[in-house]
Coordinates of all heavy atoms in Angstrom, one line a residue:
M1 N 0.9 -1.2 0.0 CA 0.0 0.0 0.0 C 0.9 1.2 0.0 O 1.8 1.4 0.8 CB -0.9 0.0 1.2 CG -1.8 1.2 1.4 SD -2.8 1.3 2.8 CE -4.2 0.3 2.3
N2 N 0.6 2.1 -0.9 CA 1.4 3.4 -1.0 C 0.5 4.5 -0.4 O -0.6 4.3 0.1 CB 1.8 3.7 -2.4 CG 0.7 3.9 -3.4 OD1 -0.4 4.3 -3.0 ND2 0.9 3.5 -4.6
K3 N 1.0 5.7 -0.4 CA 0.3 6.8 0.3 C -1.1 7.1 -0.4 O -2.0 7.3 0.3 CB 1.2 8.1 0.2 CG 0.6 9.3 1.0 CD 1.6 10.4 0.9 CE 1.1 11.6 1.6 NZ 2.1 12.7 1.6
K4 N -1.1 7.0 -1.7 CA -2.4 7.2 -2.4 C -3.4 6.2 -2.0 O -4.6 6.5 -1.7 CB -2.2 7.2 -3.9 CG -3.5 7.4 -4.7 CD -3.3 7.3 -6.2 CE -4.5 7.4 -7.0 NZ -5.7 6.7 -6.6
E5 N -3.0 4.9 -1.9 CA -3.9 3.9 -1.5 C -4.3 4.0 0.0 O -5.5 3.7 0.3 CB -3.2 2.5 -1.7 CG -3.0 2.2 -3.2 CD -2.1 1.0 -3.4 OE1 -1.3 0.7 -2.5 OE2 -2.2 0.4 -4.5
L6 N -3.5 4.5 0.8 CA -3.8 4.8 2.2 C -4.9 5.9 2.3 O -5.8 5.8 3.0 CB -2.5 5.2 3.0 CG -2.7 5.5 4.5 CD1 -3.3 4.3 5.2 CD2 -1.4 6.0 5.1
V7 N -4.7 7.0 1.5 CA -5.7 8.0 1.5 C -7.0 7.5 1.0 O -8.1 7.8 1.6 CB -5.2 9.2 0.6 CG1 -6.3 10.2 0.3 CG2 -4.0 9.9 1.2
D8 N -7.0 6.7 0.0 CA -8.2 6.1 -0.5 C -8.9 5.2 0.5 O -10.2 5.3 0.7 CB -8.0 5.2 -1.8 CG -7.6 6.1 -3.0 OD1 -7.8 7.3 -3.0 OD2 -7.0 5.5 -3.9
A9 N -8.2 4.5 1.3 CA -8.7 3.6 2.4 C -9.3 4.5 3.5 O -10.4 4.1 4.0 CB -7.6 2.7 2.9
I10 N -8.7 5.6 3.8 CA -9.2 6.5 4.8 C -10.4 7.3 4.3 O -11.3 7.6 5.1 CB -8.1 7.4 5.4 CG1 -7.1 6.5 6.1 CG2 -8.6 8.4 6.3 CD1 -5.8 7.3 6.5
T11 N -10.5 7.6 3.0 CA -11.6 8.3 2.5 C -12.9 7.7 2.8 O -13.9 8.3 3.1 CB -11.4 8.5 0.9 OG1 -10.2 9.2 0.7 CG2 -12.6 9.2 0.3
D12 N -13.0 6.3 2.8 CA -14.2 5.6 3.1 C -14.7 5.9 4.5 O -15.9 6.0 4.8 CB -14.0 4.1 2.9 CG -13.7 3.7 1.5 OD1 -14.0 4.5 0.6 OD2 -13.1 2.7 1.3
R13 N -13.8 6.2 5.4 CA -14.1 6.4 6.8 C -14.5 7.9 7.1 O -15.3 8.2 8.0 CB -13.0 6.0 7.8 CG -12.9 4.5 7.8 CD -11.9 4.1 8.8 NE -11.8 2.6 9.0 CZ -11.3 2.0 10.0 NH1 -10.8 2.7 11.0 NH2 -11.3 0.7 10.0
V14 N -13.7 8.8 6.5 CA -13.9 10.2 6.8 C -14.9 11.0 5.9 O -15.3 12.1 6.2 CB -12.6 11.0 6.9 CG1 -11.7 10.4 8.0 CG2 -11.9 11.0 5.6
G15 N -15.2 10.4 4.8 CA -16.2 10.9 3.9 C -15.7 11.5 2.6 O -16.3 11.3 1.5
D16 N -14.6 12.3 2.6 CA -14.1 12.9 1.4 C -12.6 12.8 1.3 O -11.9 12.7 2.3 CB -14.6 14.4 1.2 CG -14.0 15.3 2.2 OD1 -14.3 15.1 3.4 OD2 -13.2 16.2 1.8
K17 N -12.1 12.9 0.1 CA -10.7 12.6 -0.2 C -9.8 13.8 0.3 O -8.7 13.5 0.8 CB -10.5 12.5 -1.7 CG -9.2 11.9 -2.1 CD -9.1 11.5 -3.5 CE -7.8 10.8 -3.8 NZ -7.8 10.1 -5.1
K18 N -10.3 15.0 0.3 CA -9.5 16.1 0.8 C -9.2 16.0 2.3 O -8.1 16.2 2.7 CB -10.3 17.4 0.5 CG -9.5 18.7 0.9 CD -10.2 20.0 0.6 CE -9.4 21.1 1.1 NZ -10.1 22.4 0.9
T19 N -10.2 15.7 3.0 CA -10.1 15.5 4.5 C -9.1 14.3 4.8 O -8.2 14.4 5.6 CB -11.4 15.2 5.2 OG1 -12.3 16.3 4.8 CG2 -11.3 15.1 6.7
A20 N -9.2 13.2 4.0 CA -8.4 12.1 4.2 C -6.9 12.4 3.9 O -6.0 12.0 4.6 CB -8.9 10.9 3.3
T21 N -6.7 13.2 2.8 CA -5.4 13.6 2.4 C -4.7 14.4 3.4 O -3.6 14.3 3.8 CB -5.4 14.3 1.0 OG1 -6.0 13.4 0.1 CG2 -4.0 14.7 0.6
E22 N -5.5 15.4 4.0 CA -5.0 16.3 5.0 C -4.7 15.5 6.3 O -3.7 15.8 6.9 CB -6.0 17.4 5.3 CG -6.2 18.4 4.2 CD -7.3 19.4 4.4 OE1 -8.0 19.3 5.4 OE2 -7.5 20.3 3.5
A23 N -5.5 14.5 6.6 CA -5.3 13.7 7.8 C -4.0 12.9 7.7 O -3.1 12.9 8.6 CB -6.4 12.8 8.1
V24 N -3.8 12.3 6.6 CA -2.6 11.5 6.3 C -1.4 12.4 6.3 O -0.4 12.0 7.0 CB -2.7 10.7 5.0 CG1 -1.3 10.1 4.6 CG2 -3.7 9.6 5.1
N25 N -1.4 13.5 5.6 CA -0.3 14.4 5.6 C 0.1 14.9 7.0 O 1.2 15.1 7.3 CB -0.5 15.5 4.6 CG -0.5 15.1 3.2 OD1 0.2 14.1 2.9 ND2 -1.1 15.8 2.3
A26 N -1.0 15.3 7.8 CA -0.7 15.8 9.1 C -0.1 14.8 10.0 O 0.8 15.1 10.8 CB -2.1 16.3 9.7
I27 N -0.5 13.6 10.0 CA 0.0 12.5 10.8 C 1.5 12.2 10.4 O 2.4 12.2 11.3 CB -0.8 11.2 10.7 CG1 -2.2 11.4 11.4 CG2 -0.1 10.0 11.3 CD1 -3.2 10.3 11.1
L28 N 1.7 12.1 9.1 CA 3.1 11.8 8.7 C 4.0 13.0 9.0 O 5.2 12.8 9.5 CB 3.1 11.5 7.2 CG 2.4 10.3 6.7 CD1 2.5 10.1 5.2 CD2 3.0 9.0 7.4
D29 N 3.6 14.2 8.8 CA 4.4 15.4 9.1 C 4.7 15.5 10.6 O 5.8 15.7 11.0 CB 3.6 16.7 8.7 CG 4.5 17.9 8.8 OD1 5.6 17.9 8.2 OD2 4.0 18.8 9.5
A30 N 3.7 15.2 11.5 CA 3.9 15.2 12.9 C 4.9 14.2 13.4 O 5.8 14.5 14.2 CB 2.6 15.1 13.6
I31 N 4.8 13.0 12.8 CA 5.7 11.9 13.2 C 7.1 12.2 12.7 O 8.1 12.1 13.5 CB 5.3 10.6 12.6 CG1 4.0 10.1 13.3 CG2 6.4 9.5 12.7 CD1 3.4 8.9 12.7
Q32 N 7.3 12.7 11.5 CA 8.6 13.0 10.9 C 9.3 14.1 11.7 O 10.5 14.0 12.0 CB 8.5 13.4 9.4 CG 8.2 12.2 8.6 CD 7.8 12.7 7.1 OE1 7.6 13.8 6.9 NE2 7.9 11.7 6.2
H33 N 8.6 15.2 12.0 CA 9.2 16.3 12.7 C 9.5 15.9 14.2 O 10.6 16.4 14.7 CB 8.3 17.5 12.7 CG 8.3 18.3 11.4 ND1 7.5 17.9 10.3 CD2 9.2 19.2 11.0 CE1 7.8 18.7 9.3 NE2 8.8 19.5 9.7
A34 N 8.7 15.1 14.8 CA 9.0 14.7 16.2 C 10.2 13.8 16.2 O 11.1 14.1 17.1 CB 7.8 14.0 16.8
V35 N 10.3 12.9 15.3 CA 11.5 12.0 15.3 C 12.7 12.8 14.9 O 13.8 12.6 15.5 CB 11.2 10.8 14.4 CG1 12.5 10.0 14.2 CG2 10.1 9.9 14.9
A36 N 12.6 13.7 14.0 CA 13.8 14.5 13.5 C 14.3 15.3 14.7 O 15.5 15.6 14.7 CB 13.4 15.3 12.3
S37 N 13.4 15.7 15.6 CA 13.9 16.6 16.7 C 14.3 15.7 17.9 O 14.7 16.3 18.9 CB 12.8 17.5 17.1 OG 11.7 16.8 17.7
G38 N 14.3 14.4 17.7 CA 14.9 13.6 18.8 C 13.8 12.9 19.7 O 14.1 12.2 20.6
D39 N 12.5 13.2 19.5 CA 11.5 12.7 20.3 C 11.1 11.2 19.8 O 11.3 10.9 18.6 CB 10.2 13.5 20.2 CG 10.4 14.9 20.8 OD1 11.2 15.0 21.7 OD2 9.7 15.8 20.4
K40 N 10.6 10.5 20.7 CA 10.1 9.1 20.4 C 8.6 9.2 20.2 O 7.9 9.8 21.0 CB 10.5 8.1 21.5 CG 10.1 6.7 21.2 CD 10.5 5.8 22.4 CE 10.0 4.4 22.2 NZ 10.5 3.6 23.3
V41 N 8.1 8.6 19.1 CA 6.7 8.7 18.9 C 6.1 7.2 19.1 O 6.5 6.3 18.3 CB 6.3 9.1 17.5 CG1 4.8 9.1 17.2 CG2 6.9 10.5 17.3
S42 N 5.3 7.0 20.1 CA 4.8 5.7 20.4 C 3.3 5.7 20.2 O 2.6 6.6 20.7 CB 5.0 5.3 21.9 OG 6.4 5.2 22.1
I43 N 2.8 4.8 19.4 CA 1.4 4.6 19.1 C 1.0 3.2 19.7 O 1.4 2.2 19.1 CB 1.1 4.8 17.6 CG1 1.6 6.1 17.1 CG2 -0.4 4.6 17.4 CD1 1.5 6.3 15.6
T44 N 0.3 3.2 20.8 CA 0.0 2.0 21.4 C -0.7 1.0 20.5 O -1.6 1.4 19.8 CB -1.0 2.3 22.7 OG1 -0.3 3.2 23.5 CG2 -1.3 1.0 23.4
G45 N -0.2 -0.2 20.5 CA -0.8 -1.2 19.6 C -0.2 -1.2 18.2 O -0.3 -2.2 17.5
F46 N 0.4 -0.1 17.8 CA 1.0 0.0 16.4 C 2.5 -0.1 16.5 O 3.0 -1.0 15.8 CB 0.5 1.3 15.8 CG 1.0 1.4 14.4 CD1 0.5 0.6 13.3 CD2 2.0 2.3 14.0 CE1 1.0 0.7 12.0 CE2 2.5 2.5 12.8 CZ 2.0 1.6 11.7
G47 N 3.1 0.8 17.2 CA 4.6 0.7 17.3 C 5.2 2.0 17.7 O 4.5 2.9 18.1
A48 N 6.5 2.1 17.6 CA 7.2 3.3 18.0 C 8.2 3.7 17.0 O 8.9 2.9 16.4 CB 8.0 3.0 19.3
F49 N 8.3 5.0 16.7 CA 9.2 5.6 15.8 C 10.2 6.3 16.7 O 9.9 7.0 17.6 CB 8.6 6.6 14.9 CG 7.5 6.0 14.0 CD1 6.2 5.9 14.4 CD2 7.8 5.6 12.7 CE1 5.2 5.4 13.6 CE2 6.9 5.0 11.9 CZ 5.6 5.0 12.3
E50 N 11.5 6.2 16.3 CA 12.6 6.9 17.1 C 13.8 7.1 16.2 O 13.9 6.5 15.1 CB 13.0 6.1 18.4 CG 13.5 4.7 18.1 CD 13.7 4.0 19.4 OE1 14.1 4.5 20.4 OE2 13.4 2.7 19.4
M51 N 14.7 8.0 16.7 CA 15.9 8.3 16.0 C 17.0 7.5 16.6 O 17.1 7.4 17.8 CB 16.2 9.8 16.1 CG 17.4 10.2 15.3 SD 17.8 12.0 15.2 CE 17.1 12.7 16.6
V52 N 17.9 6.9 15.7 CA 19.0 6.1 16.2 C 20.3 6.7 15.7 O 20.3 7.2 14.6 CB 18.9 4.6 15.8 CG1 17.7 4.0 16.5 CG2 18.8 4.4 14.3
H53 N 21.3 6.6 16.5 CA 22.7 7.0 16.1 C 23.5 5.9 15.5 O 23.5 4.8 16.1 CB 23.4 7.6 17.3 CG 24.8 8.1 17.0 ND1 25.9 7.4 17.5 CD2 25.2 9.1 16.3 CE1 27.0 8.0 17.0 NE2 26.6 9.1 16.3
K54 N 24.1 6.1 14.4 CA 24.9 5.1 13.7 C 26.4 5.7 13.8 O 26.7 6.7 13.1 CB 24.5 4.9 12.3 CG 23.1 4.4 12.2 CD 22.7 4.3 10.8 CE 21.2 3.9 10.7 NZ 20.7 3.8 9.3
P55 N 27.2 5.2 14.7 CA 28.6 5.8 14.8 C 29.4 5.6 13.6 O 29.1 4.7 12.7 CB 29.1 5.0 16.0 CG 28.3 3.8 16.1 CD 27.0 4.1 15.5
A56 N 30.5 6.4 13.5 CA 31.4 6.2 12.3 C 32.0 4.9 12.4 O 32.2 4.3 13.5 CB 32.4 7.3 12.4
R57 N 32.3 4.3 11.2 CA 33.0 3.0 11.2 C 33.8 2.9 9.9 O 33.7 3.7 9.0 CB 31.9 1.9 11.3 CG 30.9 1.9 10.1 CD 29.8 1.0 10.3 NE 28.8 1.1 9.2 CZ 28.9 0.5 8.0 NH1 29.9 -0.4 7.8 NH2 27.9 0.6 7.1
T58 N 34.5 1.8 9.9 CA 35.3 1.5 8.7 C 34.6 0.3 8.0 O 34.4 -0.8 8.6 CB 36.8 1.1 9.0 OG1 37.3 2.2 9.7 CG2 37.6 0.8 7.8
A59 N 34.3 0.5 6.7 CA 33.7 -0.6 6.0 C 34.6 -1.1 4.9 O 35.7 -0.5 4.8 CB 32.3 -0.1 5.3
R60 N 34.2 -2.0 4.1 CA 35.1 -2.5 3.0 C 34.3 -2.4 1.7 O 33.2 -2.7 1.6 CB 35.5 -3.9 3.2 CG 36.3 -4.1 4.4 CD 37.6 -4.9 4.1 NE 38.4 -5.0 5.2 CZ 39.6 -4.4 5.3 NH1 40.0 -3.7 4.3 NH2 40.4 -4.4 6.4
N61 N 35.0 -2.0 0.6 CA 34.5 -2.0 -0.7 C 34.4 -3.4 -1.1 O 35.4 -4.1 -1.2 CB 35.4 -1.2 -1.6 CG 34.9 -1.1 -3.1 OD1 34.3 -2.0 -3.5 ND2 35.3 0.0 -3.8
P62 N 33.2 -3.9 -1.5 CA 33.0 -5.3 -1.8 C 33.8 -5.7 -3.1 O 34.2 -6.9 -3.2 CB 31.5 -5.5 -2.0 CG 31.0 -4.1 -2.1 CD 31.9 -3.2 -1.5
S63 N 34.0 -4.8 -4.0 CA 34.7 -5.1 -5.2 C 36.2 -5.2 -5.0 O 36.9 -6.1 -5.5 CB 34.5 -4.1 -6.3 OG 33.1 -4.0 -6.6
T64 N 36.8 -4.3 -4.3 CA 38.3 -4.2 -4.2 C 38.8 -4.7 -2.8 O 40.0 -5.0 -2.7 CB 38.8 -2.8 -4.4 OG1 38.2 -1.9 -3.4 CG2 38.3 -2.3 -5.8
G65 N 37.9 -4.6 -1.8 CA 38.3 -5.0 -0.5 C 39.0 -3.8 0.3 O 39.4 -3.9 1.4
A66 N 39.1 -2.6 -0.4 CA 39.7 -1.5 0.2 C 38.9 -0.9 1.3 O 37.6 -0.9 1.2 CB 39.9 -0.4 -0.9
P67 N 39.5 -0.5 2.4 CA 38.7 0.1 3.5 C 38.1 1.4 3.1 O 38.7 2.2 2.4 CB 39.7 0.2 4.7 CG 41.1 0.2 4.0 CD 40.9 -0.6 2.7
I68 N 36.9 1.7 3.6 CA 36.2 2.9 3.4 C 35.7 3.5 4.7 O 35.2 2.7 5.5 CB 35.0 2.7 2.5 CG1 35.4 2.1 1.1 CG2 34.2 4.0 2.3 CD1 34.2 1.7 0.3
K69 N 35.9 4.8 4.9 CA 35.4 5.4 6.2 C 34.0 5.8 5.9 O 33.7 6.5 5.0 CB 36.3 6.6 6.6 CG 37.7 6.2 7.0 CD 38.4 7.4 7.5 CE 39.8 7.0 8.0 NZ 40.6 8.1 8.5
V70 N 33.1 5.4 6.8 CA 31.7 5.7 6.8 C 31.5 6.7 7.9 O 31.8 6.3 9.1 CB 30.8 4.5 6.9 CG1 29.3 4.9 6.9 CG2 31.1 3.5 5.8
E71 N 31.0 7.9 7.6 CA 30.8 8.9 8.6 C 29.6 8.5 9.5 O 28.7 7.8 9.1 CB 30.5 10.2 8.0 CG 31.7 10.8 7.2 CD 31.4 12.2 6.6 OE1 30.4 12.8 7.0 OE2 32.2 12.6 5.8
E72 N 29.6 9.1 10.7 CA 28.4 8.9 11.6 C 27.2 9.5 11.0 O 27.3 10.4 10.2 CB 28.7 9.5 13.0 CG 28.6 11.0 13.1 CD 28.6 11.5 14.5 OE1 28.5 10.7 15.4 OE2 28.8 12.7 14.6
S73 N 26.0 8.9 11.4 CA 24.8 9.4 10.9 C 23.7 9.1 11.8 O 23.9 8.4 12.8 CB 24.5 8.8 9.5 OG 24.3 7.4 9.6
W74 N 22.5 9.7 11.6 CA 21.3 9.5 12.4 C 20.3 9.0 11.5 O 20.2 9.4 10.3 CB 20.9 10.8 13.1 CG 21.9 11.3 14.1 CD1 23.0 12.0 13.9 CD2 21.8 11.0 15.5 NE1 23.6 12.2 15.1 CE2 23.0 11.6 16.1 CE3 21.0 10.2 16.3 CZ2 23.2 11.5 17.4 CZ3 21.3 10.2 17.7 CH2 22.4 10.8 18.2
G75 N 19.5 8.1 11.9 CA 18.4 7.6 11.0 C 17.2 7.2 11.8 O 17.2 7.0 13.0
P76 N 16.0 7.1 11.1 CA 14.8 6.7 11.8 C 14.7 5.2 12.0 O 15.4 4.4 11.3 CB 13.7 7.2 10.8 CG 14.4 7.1 9.5 CD 15.8 7.4 9.7
K77 N 14.0 4.8 13.0 CA 13.8 3.4 13.3 C 12.4 3.2 13.7 O 11.8 4.0 14.4 CB 14.8 3.0 14.5 CG 14.6 1.5 14.9 CD 15.6 1.2 16.0 CE 15.4 -0.2 16.5 NZ 16.3 -0.5 17.7
F78 N 11.8 2.1 13.3 CA 10.4 1.7 13.7 C 10.5 0.4 14.3 O 11.0 -0.6 13.8 CB 9.5 1.7 12.4 CG 8.1 1.2 12.8 CD1 7.2 2.0 13.5 CD2 7.7 -0.1 12.4 CE1 6.0 1.6 13.8 CE2 6.5 -0.5 12.7 CZ 5.6 0.3 13.4
R79 N 9.8 0.3 15.5 CA 9.7 -1.0 16.2 C 8.2 -1.3 16.3 O 7.4 -0.5 17.0 CB 10.3 -0.9 17.6 CG 11.8 -1.0 17.7 CD 12.3 -1.2 19.1 NE 11.4 -0.9 20.1 CZ 11.5 0.2 20.9 NH1 12.4 1.1 20.6 NH2 10.6 0.4 21.9
P80 N 7.7 -2.3 15.7 CA 6.3 -2.6 15.7 C 5.8 -3.0 17.1 O 6.6 -3.7 17.9 CB 6.1 -3.8 14.7 CG 7.5 -4.4 14.6 CD 8.5 -3.3 14.9
G81 N 4.6 -2.7 17.5 CA 4.0 -3.1 18.7 C 3.5 -4.5 18.7 O 3.4 -5.1 17.6
N82 N 3.2 -5.1 19.9 CA 2.8 -6.5 19.9 C 1.5 -6.8 19.1 O 1.4 -7.8 18.5 CB 2.6 -6.9 21.4 CG 3.9 -7.1 22.1 OD1 4.9 -7.3 21.5 ND2 3.9 -6.9 23.4
D83 N 0.5 -5.8 19.2 CA -0.7 -6.1 18.4 C -0.5 -6.1 16.9 O -1.0 -7.0 16.2 CB -1.8 -4.9 18.7 CG -2.3 -5.0 20.2 OD1 -2.0 -6.0 20.8 OD2 -2.9 -4.0 20.6
F84 N 0.4 -5.2 16.5 CA 0.8 -5.2 15.1 C 1.5 -6.5 14.7 O 1.2 -7.1 13.6 CB 1.6 -4.0 14.8 CG 1.9 -3.7 13.3 CD1 1.1 -4.1 12.3 CD2 3.1 -3.0 13.0 CE1 1.3 -3.8 11.0 CE2 3.3 -2.7 11.7 CZ 2.5 -3.1 10.7
K85 N 2.5 -6.9 15.5 CA 3.2 -8.2 15.2 C 2.2 -9.4 15.1 O 2.4 -10.2 14.3 CB 4.2 -8.4 16.3 CG 5.4 -7.5 16.3 CD 6.4 -7.9 17.4 CE 7.4 -6.9 17.7 NZ 8.3 -7.3 18.8
E86 N 1.3 -9.4 16.1 CA 0.3 -10.5 16.1 C -0.5 -10.5 14.8 O -0.8 -11.6 14.3 CB -0.5 -10.5 17.3 CG 0.2 -10.8 18.6 CD -0.6 -10.6 19.9 OE1 -1.8 -10.3 19.8 OE2 0.0 -10.6 21.0
L87 N -1.0 -9.3 14.4 CA -1.8 -9.2 13.2 C -1.0 -9.7 12.0 O -1.6 -10.4 11.2 CB -2.3 -7.8 13.1 CG -3.2 -7.5 11.9 CD1 -4.5 -8.3 12.1 CD2 -3.5 -6.0 11.8
V88 N 0.2 -9.2 11.9 CA 1.0 -9.6 10.7 C 1.3 -11.1 10.7 O 1.2 -11.8 9.7 CB 2.3 -8.8 10.7 CG1 3.3 -9.4 9.6 CG2 2.0 -7.4 10.4
N89 N 1.6 -11.7 11.9 CA 1.9 -13.1 12.1 C 0.7 -13.9 11.7 O 0.8 -14.9 11.0 CB 2.3 -13.4 13.5 CG 2.8 -14.8 13.6 OD1 3.5 -15.3 12.7 ND2 2.6 -15.4 14.8
A90 N -0.5 -13.5 12.1 CA -1.7 -14.2 11.7 C -2.0 -14.1 10.2 O -2.4 -15.1 9.6 CB -2.9 -13.6 12.5
G91 N -1.7 -13.0 9.6 CA -1.9 -12.8 8.2 C -0.9 -13.7 7.4 O -1.2 -14.2 6.4
G92 N 0.3 -13.8 7.9 CA 1.3 -14.6 7.3 C 0.9 -16.1 7.3 O 1.2 -16.8 6.3
K93 N 0.3 -16.5 8.4 CA -0.1 -17.9 8.5 C -1.2 -18.2 7.5 O -1.3 -19.3 6.9 CB -0.5 -18.2 9.9 CG 0.6 -18.3 10.9 CD 0.2 -18.6 12.3 CE 1.4 -18.6 13.3 NZ 1.0 -18.7 14.6
K94 N -2.1 -17.2 7.3 CA -3.3 -17.4 6.4 C -2.7 -17.5 5.0 O -3.2 -18.2 4.2 CB -4.3 -16.3 6.5 CG -5.0 -16.3 7.8 CD -6.0 -15.1 7.9 CE -6.6 -15.1 9.3 NZ -7.4 -13.8 9.5
S95 N -1.7 -16.6 4.6 CA -1.2 -16.6 3.3 C -0.5 -17.9 3.0 O -0.5 -18.4 1.8 CB -0.2 -15.4 3.1 OG -0.8 -14.2 3.4
A96 N 0.2 -18.5 3.9 CA 1.0 -19.7 3.7 C 0.1 -20.9 3.5 O 0.5 -21.8 2.8 CB 1.9 -20.0 4.9
K97 N -1.2 -20.8 4.0 CA -2.1 -22.0 3.8 C -2.7 -22.0 2.4 O -3.2 -23.0 2.0 CB -3.2 -21.9 4.8 CG -2.7 -22.2 6.2 CD -3.9 -22.1 7.2 CE -3.4 -22.3 8.6 NZ -4.5 -22.2 9.6
K98 N -2.7 -20.9 1.7 CA -3.3 -20.8 0.3 C -2.6 -21.7 -0.7 O -1.5 -22.1 -0.7 CB -3.3 -19.4 -0.2 CG -4.3 -18.5 0.6 CD -4.3 -17.2 0.0 CE -5.3 -16.3 0.8 NZ -5.3 -14.9 0.3

């Protein structure tokens, strides 16, 4: 499911596409800005978004084997909640039976 399909799915619940688009954009914007500023966003039953630090390290070029310095960086991380994990696990079991 991409963003357009998510908006379409929400349109059925909120009534019109404009409201659904604004809702999806507002939620995504709020999560992105909170995580970018270092806050953790936890949605009970769904999961948690947070920022993680990736320290500088030395990697290897797979073609030549030469060492490469990789600078430190920060990135987003998502940890699914238990309800979400259970739902996905149940869906996976149903798909495997087909």
